[in-house]
């Protein structure tokens, strides 16, 4: 009976990974359409996209792939979730932008921003909880922490300030949404993660 249970658990983790990544991309599209400020990495993506001649989503995917190259000197190992992150999130953003209208009026834009941030946190909890490998940007952070010995809070803050500054200089949207995202996303992911955490199946003991 253990083999079917193992396969079922893996299938559940795989499914949760992909719908979590898809929802993550949709939440990013909501924040883009709200046009009230983006999270630091998306400020960078938005600033780079027109200069690279790519859609926003394809820029997200390409930057993810380039960040993954930085894992090599840090001796980080990607997982299925890492590769899926690079392929799915940006694609989901572009598909969502094709169907989402631009909201009119500040109240509706604020509602889309709030919904985007909340769904982003839930989606983050879902794909992290699947336990199939970190996204390229998160892996960069953990790899730098391990190699330098610096605490996560300083490495994470340094990375995000850096990409935010570059993105803003390139024309990315910084606003109230940027501040609101920074203030709330950790709390949302923290409380969403326990609902989605799926433990990897234990390997049978060797005789």
């Amino acid at each position: 009976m253990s083999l079917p249970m193992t396969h079922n658990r893996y299938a559940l983790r795989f499914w949760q990974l992909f719908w979590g990544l898809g929802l993550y991309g949709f939440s990013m599209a909501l924040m883009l359409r709200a046009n009230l400020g983006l999270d630091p990495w998306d400020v960078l993506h938005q600033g780079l996209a027109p200069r690279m001649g790519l859609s926003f989503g394809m820029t997200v995917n390409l930057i993810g792939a380039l960040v993954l190259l930085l894992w090599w000197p840090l001796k980080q190992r990607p997982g299925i979730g890492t590769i899926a992150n690079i392929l799915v999130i940006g694609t989901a953003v572009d598909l969502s932008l094709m169907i989402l209208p631009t909201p009119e009026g500040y109240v509706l834009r604020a509602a889309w921003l709030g919904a985007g941030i909340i769904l982003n946190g839930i989606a983050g909890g879902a794909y992290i909880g699947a336990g199939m490998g970190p996204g390229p940007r998160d892996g960069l952070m953990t790899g730098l922490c391990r190699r330098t010995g610096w605490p996560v809070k300083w490495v994470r803050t340094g990375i995000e300030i850096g990409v935010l500054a570059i993105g803003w200089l390139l024309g990315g949207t910084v606003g109230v949404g940027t501040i609101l995202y920074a203030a709330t996303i950790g709390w949302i992911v923290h409380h969403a993660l326990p609902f989605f955490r799926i433990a990897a199946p234990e390997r049978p003991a060797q005789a």
Side-chain angles (χ1 to χ4, degrees), residues 5-15 80 132 198 201:
M5 289 179 67
T6 298
H7 280 301
N8 289 341
R9 184 177 293 180
Y10 184 83
L12 178 60
R13 292 169 66 205
F14 196 78
W15 165 245
I80 293 174
M132 301 186 78
I198 303 174

Side-chain angles (χ1 to χ4, degrees), residues 1-197:
M1 293 295 293
S2 61
L3 186 60
M5 289 179 67
T6 298
H7 280 301
N8 289 341
R9 184 177 293 180
Y10 184 83
L12 178 60
R13 292 169 66 205
F14 196 78
W15 165 245
Q16 182 172 299
L17 168 69
F18 276 88
W19 74 252
L21 293 173
L23 182 61
Y24 198 94
F26 177 76
S27 70
M28 288 167 60
L30 282 173
M31 289 186 281
L32 276 164
R33 285 286 188 245
N35 196 31
L36 290 171
L38 303 170
D39 72 270
W41 278 101
D42 285 340
V43 173
L44 176 64
H45 299 146
Q46 189 182 47
L48 285 173
R51 288 167 173 78
M52 300 176 72
L54 297 173
S55 67
F56 181 91
M58 290 304 100
T59 303
V60 171
N61 289 351
L62 178 59
I63 296 302
L66 293 176
V67 170
L68 184 60
L69 295 177
L70 299 177
W71 285 30
W72 183 72
L74 299 174
K75 298 182 179 180
Q76 288 279 90
R77 291 186 177 181
I80 293 174
T82 310
I83 305 304
N85 186 293
I86 293 171
L87 297 174
V88 174
I89 291 182
T91 305
V93 173
D94 279 351
L95 291 174
S96 299
L97 289 173
M98 291 172 62
I99 61 174
L100 284 172
T102 300
E104 296 183 4
Y106 187 82
V107 172
L108 189 56
R109 290 167 61 201
W112 283 41
L113 172 66
I117 293 174
I118 292 170
L119 291 177
N120 192 272
I122 293 171
Y127 83 74
I128 293 170
M132 301 186 78
R137 297 157 185 83
D138 291 331
L140 175 64
M141 175 192 69
T142 56
L144 285 171
C145 290
R146 190 178 67 251
R147 290 297 297 271
T148 64
W150 297 341
V152 171
K153 61 182 179 181
W154 295 121
V155 174
R156 176 72 180 260
T157 301
I159 291 173
E160 300 217 349
I161 289 176
V163 298
L164 177 64
I166 295 170
W168 177 70
L169 290 172
L170 293 173
T173 304
V174 178
V176 64
T178 309
I179 299 171
L180 188 61
Y181 185 95
T184 62
I185 194 62
W187 184 88
I188 299 170
V189 173
H190 175 79
H191 288 279
L193 190 55
F195 292 97
F196 296 110
R197 194 183 297 278

